[in-house]
Structure formats: C-alpha cells, structure tokens
Amino acid sequence: MLIGEVARRSGVSTRMLRHYDTLGLVRPTGRTTGGYRAYSDADIERLLHVESLRSLGLSLRDVGRALDDPDFAPDTLMEKLIQDTRDRMAADARLLDRLQQIQVTGAGDWPAVLDVVGLLRAVHSEHPAHRQRAALRAGDAGLSAEALTDALLAESDENVAGALRWALAQTPGALDQLAARVTDPDATVRRRAATALSAIDDARATAVLEALLTDPDPEVRRTVALTLGRRGVETAVDVLVELVAAGDRDVEAAEILAAQDDDGRIVARLVDRLGADPDPAVRLRLVQALAEITGDAASTALTGLGDDDDETVARTARAIGSLRSR
C-alpha cells in the first residue's frame, strides 16, 4: 500500500508518515512491482501501535522505546485502549444524562443554567462532603427528581444518601422516579430505592412498598416490612414474623408487631411459626417477642412455653410470665 493510500485510510498525513519514516518508527518495507516503497501488513500494524501509544499521551521518543522493547505486548495495549474507549463512552453517556437533566429543569436564563451545571457536578463529585452539600441545596436549586434519583441510587455514603433522600422527599416526581427503579436487576439499587420510598409517607408510596414484600433480596424485604409495619399495614405481618424467626432486627420487628396486636392474631401467627421450631434460639426469640405483647393470648402462650424442653427458653418464659402476673 503506497503512502498516499495509507494517509487517506488512516487519517495520518503523508508529512507525518514521512516523519515516522525518518525517525525509524514506521518504515515502509514492501516494494511495488514498479520498485516503489510500500507499506506491508506488518508496517500497517506497527502504525496502529504508534497511533495507539500516542493517543495515550506518549511522546514519539517514548513510543519508539516501547515498540523496541522486547517485552512490549500489543495485546495489553489493545486492552488498555478498549477500556479507555469504554470509559470515554461512559463519560459521554453521563454527560448526555446531565444535559438532559438540565433541559428538564427548564432553566429560564444562563445564570440559572450555570447554577444547575455546578450543582450537577457537585452531586457527582468524588468527595462525599461536596455531594452532601449539593444534596442539601438540590431542592432550592430546582434539581430534577430524575437527577436526584440517579445520584441517590449510585450513592454509597450513608450521610450523603440521607441528604439525597431528604431532598427527594420534597421534589415533585420523586415517587414516580423511585417506583420505576424498584424492579432494577441490581439488588443494591432496589435497596436504595426502597429506603428512599420509606421516607415518603403516602398511599402511593405504601402501595409500591407492598409490592416489594416478596422481593428476592432479604434486605429489601426487611426495609419494606419494617416501614409498612410502622404504618399498620397488615400484609407486612408475615415478613415481620420471619424477621423475628431469623433474628434479623427481631427486637424492632417484635415491637412493631406488639403495637398491632389487639385480638390475638399476631400471637397466633408467632406461635404457629416459631413455637414448634426445633432451634431453641428461635423459640427464645418467640418468648422475647411475646414479652412485648399485652393481653391474655400472649400470657397463655408464655405459660405453654414455660414447659419448653430447653431450660433457657422455659426459665425465660416463666420469668416473663411471673412479671406479667404482678
């Protein structure tokens, strides 16, 4: 392939190709039938390596040293270029999202647009303190629910996440944005969305949370059940009972169940699920849960557990029963 065609196809000027030849970086080693020097396939491959290394910021001298190094690995270089390209594409995608978010805000003048740009940069800063300050300003600055939701669902710092949840709870459209993300395949995203929804106390948010009681992730189910239990939602009871059985926030779950029990239904469900469990630790948690519940049903259940085969369970049940009878 002659120099003109190489320049046309590669975008490297003929002047630069001749410069590479002079420096010994890329020399055409082939010959045409007419005796003209031409670039072979190996020369073209070396040109690719030169341009790739230059794109990484190396000087021509350093490029020559790298290519002449016997340990130079073109495959490693290609992997680096592929990753760099992916990073640029991801950065471009983030930039597009931010531009769309700015458009959504409907800012009416350039100073307002600049404020939003600055706030978006701060929300996505690498420094948690900057992100937290940006979250606290988000409501007044008019940052969209979409922008705040994206920031929250990517946030790992709990202090920043708390500020973002606070800002979201005051932002129109937050519920719709969060509801759209509770089916995300990433469990971490669903956990963050569920926690944010728990801060919105209205009927629509409660309905979305109820649908998450069967989520495959136990942390999502726990967050949702505790929130719905505090709101007196009946459908959360079974999950709360399971939390007691598993010893997962069991004291908190038991307190919530105790606040709901007024006709013995909760006691019956606790006893049915935990009372015959072969693990004494589970039955002991049942005793402790019953201690939180007033009424005859709980007292009767404690009396029965006073004869438990495990001495610790039986002794604890009798002690609690004795205190209740005073």
Side-chain angles (χ1 to χ4, degrees), residues 7 51 78 98 103 137 160 181 214 237-238 257 271 291 312:
E51 292 302 299
M78 293 306 295
R98 293 183 189 185
Q103 186 180 41
R137 289 180 48 221
V160 181
R181 305 298 293 274
T214 56
V237 169
D238 286 340
L257 288 170
V271 172
T312 300

Side-chain angles (χ1 to χ4, degrees), residues 259-273:
Q260 293 189 28
D261 190 50
D262 57 359
D263 58 5
R265 291 177 300 109
I266 301 298
V267 170
R269 289 161 90 165
L270 282 167
V271 172
D272 287 346
R273 171 61 183 85

Side-chain angles (χ1 to χ4, degrees), residues 117-315:
V117 171
L119 194 60
L120 282 168
R121 287 177 60 83
V123 164
H124 295 278
S125 167
E126 62 181 277
H127 303 293
H130 294 174
R131 299 198 302 273
Q132 186 172 11
R133 283 196 294 271
L136 294 173
R137 289 180 48 221
D140 293 337
L143 204 60
S144 70
E146 181 181 5
L148 286 170
T149 300
D150 288 343
L152 171 63
L153 299 184
E155 183 56 63
S156 58
D157 185 286
E158 183 52 35
N159 290 327
V160 181
L164 286 167
R165 287 194 294 268
W166 173 82
L168 259 176
Q170 303 175 73
T171 303
L175 179 54
D176 291 334
Q177 290 294 326
L178 291 168
R181 305 298 293 274
V182 295
T183 57
D184 195 284
D186 187 339
T188 300
V189 170
R190 299 199 308 277
R191 291 169 193 163
R192 291 170 180 167
T195 302
L197 280 165
S198 297
I200 303 175
D201 190 1
D202 67 23
R204 286 184 60 213
T206 297
V208 175
L209 289 171
E210 279 193 85
L212 294 175
L213 284 169
T214 56
D215 191 275
D217 183 71
E219 189 172 332
V220 172
R221 294 197 303 273
R222 179 209 308 139
T223 298
V224 170
L226 292 172
T227 298
L228 293 176
R230 294 187 195 98
R231 297 180 187 178
V233 177
E234 169 68 19
T235 53
V237 169
D238 286 340
V239 180
L240 291 170
V241 170
E242 288 302 320
L243 292 180
V244 175
D248 182 3
R249 301 277 288 274
D250 51 302
V251 174
E252 188 175 355
E255 290 174 348
I256 292 171
L257 288 170
Q260 293 189 28
D261 190 50
D262 57 359
D263 58 5
R265 291 177 300 109
I266 301 298
V267 170
R269 289 161 90 165
L270 282 167
V271 172
D272 287 346
R273 171 61 183 85
L274 285 70
D277 195 289
D279 186 350
V282 174
R283 301 197 302 278
L284 182 60
R285 285 195 288 275
L286 168 60
V287 171
Q288 293 163 342
L290 291 171
E292 301 290 336
I293 302 174
T294 60
D296 293 339
S299 297
T300 300
L302 284 167
T303 299
L305 287 163
D307 296 326
D308 192 90
D309 292 338
D310 182 84
E311 182 57 32
T312 300
V313 174
R315 186 168 57 249

